[in-house]
């Protein structure tokens, strides 16, 4: 087995934070308790990611479909997002980290939208580490917004020639961010759930049985070990 010190660390890791609800239920606790513990774990894992040299970390915290959850669960998540976004300034300073929110913020209450604008503007000065939080994010929605924006720019005469792949990438919420090298989904589900469909075209996928609140440094290293065993081809011949 490869020694951990010889492991290639992926530049960009994307994670689907799944399993908070089932984790809490198994403990006889409400789902919102699982999200609280999931949020604590996110703080820890983002520190670990920096410690081991991951430059870009992108997490899926709330999808466009998640609005269908109960009011109680959504209220609990909104409370967590409010608290977390406030803490993000300190995290950005500590880790020299630029924070960006992917997704359409317009569905959130005005104070949350304001916190998103604030942390994005405040942390724009950092370029050592990059942390993307997907909130009210859905990949099809992102692509739809990008296509509409491109159409507007064509009508306005800002785009005249052919529409290229690079141009499409530059209209997505992830503009300027390299595509993920490794995608991890916790809690045993093996699907993308509308996450980064364009950006994951050549990404290695690792699905882990552990629920998100139990995903610690050891589990992250295990995912990276699995990534190291893959023979990345990008569709070409080696
Ligand atoms: C999906 O698993 C997870 C979510 C809908 C929420 C993820 C949120 C967090 C980890 C905490 C907050 C994050 C931030 C950025 C503050 P699930 O809980 O639906 O799990 P289940 O599949 O077991 O029901």
């Amino acid at each position: 087995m490869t020694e951990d010190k010889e492991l290639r660390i992926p530049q960009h890791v994307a994670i689907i934070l799944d399993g908070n609800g089932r984790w809490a239920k198994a403990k006889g606790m409400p789902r919102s308790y699982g999200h609280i513990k999931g949020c604590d774990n996110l703080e820890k894992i983002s520190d670990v990611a920096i410690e081991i040299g991951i430059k870009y970390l992108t997490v899926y915290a709330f999808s466009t479909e998640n609005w269908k959850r109960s009011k109680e669960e959504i209220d609990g998540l909104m409370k967590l997002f409010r608290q977390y976004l406030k803490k993000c300034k300190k995290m950005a300073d500590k880790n020299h980290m630029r924070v960006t929110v992917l997704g359409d913020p317009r569905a959130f209450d005005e104070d949350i939208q304001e916190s998103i604008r604030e942390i994005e503007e405040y942390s724009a000065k950092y370029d050592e580490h990059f942390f993307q939080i997907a909130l009210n994010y859905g990949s099809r929605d992102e692509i739809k917004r990008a296509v509409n924006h491109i159409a507007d720019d064509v009508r306005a005469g800002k785009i005249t020639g052919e529409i290229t792949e690079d141009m499409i990438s530059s209209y997505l919420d992830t503009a300027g961010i390299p595509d993920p090298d490794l995608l991890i989904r916790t809690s045993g589900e093996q699907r993308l759930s509308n996450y980064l469909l364009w950006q994951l075209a050549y990404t290695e996928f690792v699905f882990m049985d552990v629920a998100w609140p139990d995903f610690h440094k050891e589990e992250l290293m295990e995912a990276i070990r699995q990534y190291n065993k893959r023979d990345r081809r990008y569709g070409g011949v080696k």
Side-chain angles (χ1 to χ4, degrees):
M1 206 213 321
T2 325
E3 288 292 323
D4 278 359
K5 58 180 181 307
E6 291 168 13
L7 286 177
R8 268 177 306 120
I9 300 296
Q11 177 183 224
H12 184 174
V13 175
I15 311 183
I16 301 179
L17 314 171
D18 195 13
N20 296 335
R22 277 166 284 170
W23 180 89
K25 201 176 163 215
K27 293 187 155 26
M29 300 293 284
R31 294 176 60 81
S32 52
Y33 177 72
H35 294 315
I36 293 170
K37 291 297 173 188
C39 192
D40 292 346
N41 196 43
L42 180 57
E43 284 188 44
K44 290 189 192 123
I45 286 293
S46 50
D47 281 350
V48 171
I50 283 168
E51 175 201 320
I52 66 173
I54 293 170
K55 189 166 177 178
Y56 297 84
L57 178 68
T58 303
V59 299
Y60 203 5
F62 194 79
S63 73
T64 45
E65 289 76 33
N66 284 152
W67 295 107
K68 294 180 193 136
R69 304 250 170 134
S70 72
K71 183 176 182 316
E72 188 193 358
E73 185 170 351
I74 290 185
D75 286 350
L77 280 165
M78 294 305 137
K79 191 173 164 196
L80 279 178
F81 298 153
R82 283 189 169 87
Q83 292 166 349
Y84 189 82
L85 288 164
K86 295 255 173 313
K87 278 194 213 164
C88 267
K89 258 190 192 176
K90 269 197 185 149
M91 288 163 49
D93 286 337
K94 185 174 80 171
N95 297 323
H96 293 175
M97 181 175 85
R98 181 169 185 173
V99 181
T100 309
V101 172
L102 313 179
D104 187 348
R106 292 171 296 184
F108 293 112
D109 286 349
E110 184 49 46
D111 67 306
I112 296 184
Q113 293 187 44
E114 180 57 29
S115 293
I116 291 172
R117 278 192 293 272
E118 255 181 47
I119 186 61
E120 288 189 332
E121 279 169 24
Y122 179 79
S123 67
K125 59 192 172 189
Y126 294 124
D127 61 3
E128 238 174 271
H129 294 101
F130 297 83
F131 183 42
Q132 293 70 237
I133 314 169
L135 285 178
N136 190 34
Y137 176 85
S139 197
R140 289 183 174 184
D141 178 68
E142 176 193 35
I143 292 169
K144 180 202 75 184
R145 285 186 283 109
V147 170
N148 276 305
H149 193 174
I150 290 172
D152 286 346
D153 284 355
V154 169
R155 279 190 290 268
K158 292 185 199 160
I159 298 173
T160 47
E162 193 190 340
I163 292 164
T164 62
E165 289 188 14
D166 284 348
M167 192 188 290
I168 294 172
S169 294
S170 75
Y171 278 77
L172 296 175
D173 299 344
T174 48
I177 296 164
D179 289 341
D181 303 290
L182 168 63
L183 167 84
I184 301 169
R185 181 168 188 155
T186 58
S187 120
E189 309 299 337
Q190 302 197 356
R191 54 178 178 267
L192 288 182
S193 300
N194 205 9
Y195 191 42
L196 303 174
L197 301 180
W198 175 273
Q199 299 87 339
L200 295 175
Y202 294 103
T203 303
E204 296 293 339
F205 295 177
V206 172
F207 298 104
M208 305 198 69
D209 281 336
V210 64
W212 171 250
D214 286 335
F215 182 93
H216 305 307
K217 183 176 180 181
E218 180 43 38
E219 284 70 30
L220 178 59
M221 295 316 294
E222 175 52 30
I224 294 176
R225 274 182 225 117
Q226 288 191 36
Y227 166 80
N228 272 252
K229 287 184 203 149
R230 307 274 174 90
D231 186 14
R232 298 197 76 197
R233 287 179 185 267
Y234 299 97
V237 180
K238 264 201 159 179

